[in-house]
Amino acid sequence: MKKKILLFFILKTLLFSSSDFITSNGELSFKYNEKYNKITRFNGNMETYKTDIDSLEVGIYYKGEHYLLSDYIISKRFIPQTNIFETVAKLPYGKIKTTYIPSMVDKNSFYIINNYEIKKGETLEFLYLFNMSDRNGIIEYKKTKDYYKYNENIYIKNLKNSMAGYIVPASELEVVKLKKIEDSSIKYRDQRMVMSSKVRLSDGEKSDIVQIRYGKTPDFLSFESSERLLFLEKTYWMEWLKPIPFKVDTRTRKIVERFLIYLKTSTDGFDYYTNIGLRETSKTKDVLYTAMTFIKYGYLDDAEQILTRLVEKEEEEFFYLSRTKLTIEEVQEAYVYLSYLKESDDTKFYTEYIEKIQKKIHKIVEGVKQDLNKKNILEKGYEFKIYYYTYNLLKLYREIDGDRKYAPMEEMLKNYLFKNFISGDGIKKYALDKKNTYSKWEYLLLYDNVETKRLIDKLYSDSIFKRYPYFSSEKSVDVEVNLSLLGGLYLNDLSRFGDINLLQLNEDIEGNSMKIPDKIYLKGGKRYEVNGIDIYLSSKYLNTVYDRSEE
């Protein structure tokens, strides 16, 4: 590479867009900016929520010219049934396939593989442009082992070819001079780094591999085969991913597999559960939905991993006992524990934790008893959800344990729900609600013996379904609410109406870089509102599709 480089080549790395593919391995994560075709917001330790590399872009130097691959991308996708992302660039002299791997074999490693088909006769040089613009840093070249160390925890090494590092100084000139990194150099916050590697003409595999490792030790792979590296990573997913336990169309299958991978990489690796991309710790509700999804789809080991972490948080249990009011998460947590025991037949888990679970159930029942004895306590939402899920919890506990001591409470709750939450027209809603609330249509218990035509007519009259495939009373769709209603249609054998909705939702998920949006706008220039990979909505989608198969 020439020691001088055109400034526009660097400036293009500063562009940003909110349209992103997102992937992770449970320890590190990154976004791939779909519009500008580059890695953004690389996070080496998801517990810290900080960005370690603001952006990373690949270019080449060939026949005296610099090329950014981002200008020549013709395809980009997740490799099916993996967390691996892949792009293909078609340049004037040939094609380059770039593979981005957040490793499941070594959770602290991230690999970039470039496989090239370039016309022979000229030396090809790959360029890796790193932008850590928000802070100063120390970059060191470790000559004896041929790798670079940035600050205390980022290590960069080319596994196949020699690599030279340069600091790009801040400048307003059209041409800037690069400073080669030798021994130790300071990279100031407004500077960037370029790593350059010349490929070997004798390399029959025609590939270049860069390993970026996050941690305290520079552990690098010893082999140089891109085929073997990809084989090991694909093998991990091939052994983990199970067949979907029901028949499903191709589009839905791809989304189900992608969402299961999201859940695995969102909850695997440490004691925090992170919304990838938004970089926040998920709520208990999100984690419980994830555990329930794993149980339904047969990933019992992953469900156990989540539930064991939750049940061992003694301080959280004491916090429950000090509450004066029940929470929906508290009831759902006990329900998910019982669901796991029912599906897994895990005697060890039962022996170790059943006493704690029984204490939680007893506390829930006592809380419900206190509420039922009060007057004028009706609150929109609170009672309905608490009592509905408590009823199902007690029913499940009786089925598993054979203990009928809570049977009277089951009947009491069922009678209370029917008395207070059925309107005069036979369409179910809260007694004090002035408007029909779509999210309540998911509760199967209250829809027995409701005439199907009247139910559908009510949905049509209260929504914009006549013009759009979604159920909504506004010109935007709350996806969580829509999923709740969609689940209600499937639970009540109304799949024809649900499938119209699901087909459109699948199309929007694909249009949103394989992420489920929080909100969908039906008019205007903006289509989606997205907050990273939402494991709660992803789990809710998976549970809804599963309920469809249970009709």
Side-chain angles (χ1 to χ4, degrees):
M1 181 182 68
K2 289 183 178 180
K3 300 303 183 287
K4 294 184 178 181
I5 185 167
L6 293 177
L7 185 61
F8 82 87
F9 187 66
I10 300 300
L11 289 178
K12 291 198 66 173
T13 68
L14 300 179
L15 298 172
F16 175 76
S17 167
S18 60
S19 179
D20 299 294
F21 290 94
I22 304 175
T23 190
S24 167
N25 64 4
E27 293 285 354
L28 55 84
S29 67
F30 69 87
K31 294 183 176 184
Y32 182 88
N33 187 292
E34 184 177 12
K35 185 174 182 179
Y36 295 108
N37 297 315
K38 63 178 180 180
I39 296 294
T40 63
R41 296 182 182 178
F42 177 89
N43 182 359
N45 181 358
M46 288 164 58
E47 281 187 85
T48 64
Y49 314 137
K50 69 184 180 72
T51 299
D52 297 291
I53 302 173
D54 297 287
S55 67
L56 196 166
E57 193 166 3
V58 181
I60 66 167
Y61 181 70
Y62 186 71
K63 287 192 172 183
E65 297 290 338
H66 297 101
Y67 300 89
L68 282 175
L69 299 192
S70 59
D71 293 330
Y72 300 92
I73 298 296
I74 59 172
S75 71
K76 46 201 164 189
R77 62 160 191 158
F78 283 109
I79 294 179
Q81 301 180 330
T82 74
N83 65 337
I84 302 169
F85 193 73
E86 175 188 272
T87 66
V88 176
K90 186 177 181 181
L91 293 98
Y93 304 105
K95 287 184 180 180
I96 295 176
K97 181 173 67 176
T98 305
T99 308
Y100 302 95
I101 306 175
S103 176
M104 299 301 294
V105 178
D106 176 5
K107 290 293 193 70
N108 293 312
S109 288
F110 169 62
Y111 302 99
I112 303 174
I113 301 175
N114 283 297
N115 294 98
Y116 54 90
E117 297 176 7
I118 299 293
K119 295 179 181 179
K120 295 180 179 180
E122 296 284 342
T123 300
L124 174 65
E125 196 169 345
F126 280 99
L127 310 175
Y128 301 88
L129 293 85
F130 292 82
N131 177 22
M132 297 94 151
S133 59
D134 65 334
R135 57 196 170 275
N136 298 338
I138 303 295
I139 179 75
E140 301 175 70
Y141 175 53
K142 304 293 186 180
K143 188 174 182 179
T144 55
K145 295 188 177 180
D146 193 27
Y147 70 86
Y148 291 84
K149 178 183 179 183
Y150 182 74
N151 286 344
E152 295 300 319
N153 47 22
I154 297 178
Y155 301 88
I156 305 168
K157 181 178 176 63
N158 194 302
L159 300 181
K160 296 196 71 170
N161 303 295
S162 61
M163 177 179 278
Y166 302 89
I167 292 176
V168 184
S171 175
E172 295 182 359
L173 300 176
E174 291 185 357
V175 177
V176 295
K177 187 174 182 179
L178 305 182
K179 176 186 175 182
K180 188 171 184 179
I181 300 168
E182 296 176 320
D183 297 326
S184 180
S185 301
I186 299 176
K187 185 207 73 67
Y188 294 101
R189 61 181 301 168
D190 55 351
Q191 296 178 332
R192 280 167 274 290
M193 297 187 305
V194 177
M195 298 292 173
S196 168
S197 57
K198 292 182 179 180
V199 302
R200 294 176 299 176
L201 296 177
S202 60
D203 181 13
E205 196 177 53
K206 294 185 178 180
S207 66
D208 191 58
I209 307 174
V210 172
Q211 179 178 356
I212 301 171
R213 198 169 198 284
Y214 189 96
K216 298 298 182 182
T217 56
D219 294 334
F220 297 108
L221 291 181
S222 58
F223 59 82
E224 302 174 348
S225 169
S226 60
E227 289 185 4
R228 174 166 167 74
L229 176 55
L230 270 171
F231 172 78
L232 291 174
E233 297 293 338
K234 288 180 178 179
T235 298
Y236 173 90
W237 287 111
M238 185 171 60
E239 293 176 349
W240 181 81
L241 202 61
K242 301 178 184 295
I244 297 173
F246 49 84
K247 290 184 179 180
V248 67
D249 63 276
T250 300
R251 172 178 276 181
T252 304
R253 176 180 58 78
K254 289 180 179 178
I255 294 173
V256 166
E257 290 173 346
R258 180 59 44 206
F259 282 12
L260 285 168
I261 289 170
Y262 287 158
L263 298 190
K264 173 65 172 176
T265 56
S266 294
T267 58
D268 190 53
F270 52 87
D271 289 336
Y272 295 85
Y273 302 88
T274 304
N275 180 326
I276 305 174
L278 190 61
R279 297 181 296 152
E280 68 175 14
T281 301
S282 298
K283 300 175 182 177
T284 302
K285 175 185 71 173
D286 307 359
V287 181
L288 290 172
Y289 255 81
T290 300
M292 178 61 77
T293 302
F294 280 145
I295 292 169
K296 286 184 176 181
Y297 282 80
Y299 297 89
L300 297 181
D301 290 343
D302 295 277
E304 182 189 16
Q305 180 180 338
I306 292 173
L307 297 179
T308 299
R309 290 173 184 171
L310 286 176
V311 79
E312 287 180 348
K313 290 182 179 178
E314 294 292 341
E315 68 279 4
E316 186 172 346
E317 183 179 24
F318 292 136
F319 179 55
Y320 281 163
L321 296 174
S322 67
R323 287 191 185 125
T324 58
K325 197 175 197 178
L326 290 171
T327 67
I328 187 65
E329 287 85 3
E330 188 172 355
V331 182
Q332 286 179 324
E333 182 176 344
Y335 185 86
V336 174
Y337 290 145
L338 294 180
S339 298
Y340 170 74
L341 289 174
K342 181 180 180 180
E343 296 296 329
S344 69
D345 195 28
D346 187 339
T347 55
K348 182 177 181 294
F349 188 93
Y350 182 92
T351 302
E352 193 166 351
Y353 298 120
I354 189 60
E355 187 175 342
K356 288 184 179 181
I357 296 170
Q358 288 172 334
K359 286 181 179 179
K360 289 180 183 292
I361 294 173
H362 180 73
K363 190 254 179 174
I364 291 168
V365 170
E366 290 302 309
V368 170
K369 282 182 180 178
Q370 292 178 17
D371 279 352
L372 290 174
N373 290 331
K374 296 176 183 177
K375 294 182 179 181
N376 300 320
I377 60 169
L378 191 62
E379 294 182 22
K380 291 184 182 181
Y382 166 67
E383 281 188 351
F384 183 81
K385 292 180 180 179
I386 293 292
Y387 296 166
Y388 182 84
Y389 282 111
T390 301
Y391 168 81
N392 284 285
L393 168 68
L394 298 180
K395 183 179 177 183
L396 180 60
Y397 177 66
R398 174 169 49 82
E399 291 173 357
I400 291 176
D401 200 78
D403 190 341
R404 296 187 55 83
K405 68 178 178 181
Y406 296 127
M409 176 59 73
E410 278 184 54
E411 191 64 24
M412 185 185 300
L413 286 171
K414 185 175 181 179
N415 292 336
Y416 187 88
L417 288 167
F418 271 89
K419 179 181 177 181
N420 288 281
F421 300 105
I422 297 180
S423 63
D425 65 356
I427 303 298
K428 277 63 182 176
K429 60 183 180 181
Y430 297 149
L432 296 186
D433 277 354
K434 293 183 179 179
K435 292 183 178 181
N436 185 62
T437 306
Y438 291 110
S439 61
K440 312 310 175 291
W441 292 70
E442 68 180 303
Y443 301 105
L444 179 62
L445 168 67
L446 302 183
Y447 286 87
D448 292 340
N449 303 319
V450 175
E451 185 183 345
T452 301
K453 186 179 184 305
R454 291 178 66 201
L455 187 150
I456 293 299
D457 286 346
K458 184 68 175 177
L459 277 175
Y460 268 80
S461 65
D462 286 353
S463 77
I464 58 176
F465 187 78
K466 294 177 182 178
R467 295 185 59 191
Y468 302 98
Y470 290 115
F471 294 104
S472 174
S473 58
E474 305 292 339
K475 294 300 185 287
S476 63
V477 178
D478 184 317
V479 174
E480 179 183 359
V481 172
N482 191 80
L483 281 171
S484 293
L485 187 141
L486 182 58
L489 293 175
Y490 288 141
L491 288 170
N492 290 282
D493 299 324
L494 299 170
S495 61
R496 182 165 66 90
F497 298 94
D499 285 350
I500 296 172
N501 192 303
L502 182 63
L503 286 171
Q504 181 61 52
L505 181 57
N506 284 349
E507 185 176 316
D508 280 313
I509 289 170
E510 290 178 337
N512 189 42
S513 306
M514 294 301 284
K515 305 185 301 294
I516 191 165
D518 299 88
K519 186 171 287 188
I520 300 170
Y521 297 98
L522 303 176
K523 288 189 175 182
K526 182 179 180 181
R527 178 67 176 175
Y528 307 115
E529 182 177 304
V530 187
N531 291 319
I533 292 176
D534 190 318
I535 68 169
Y536 168 66
L537 286 182
S538 300
S539 297
K540 196 171 180 68
Y541 173 93
L542 291 169
N543 278 284
T544 300
V545 173
Y546 187 91
D547 289 340
R548 181 187 184 280
S549 72
E550 292 287 283
E551 289 186 52

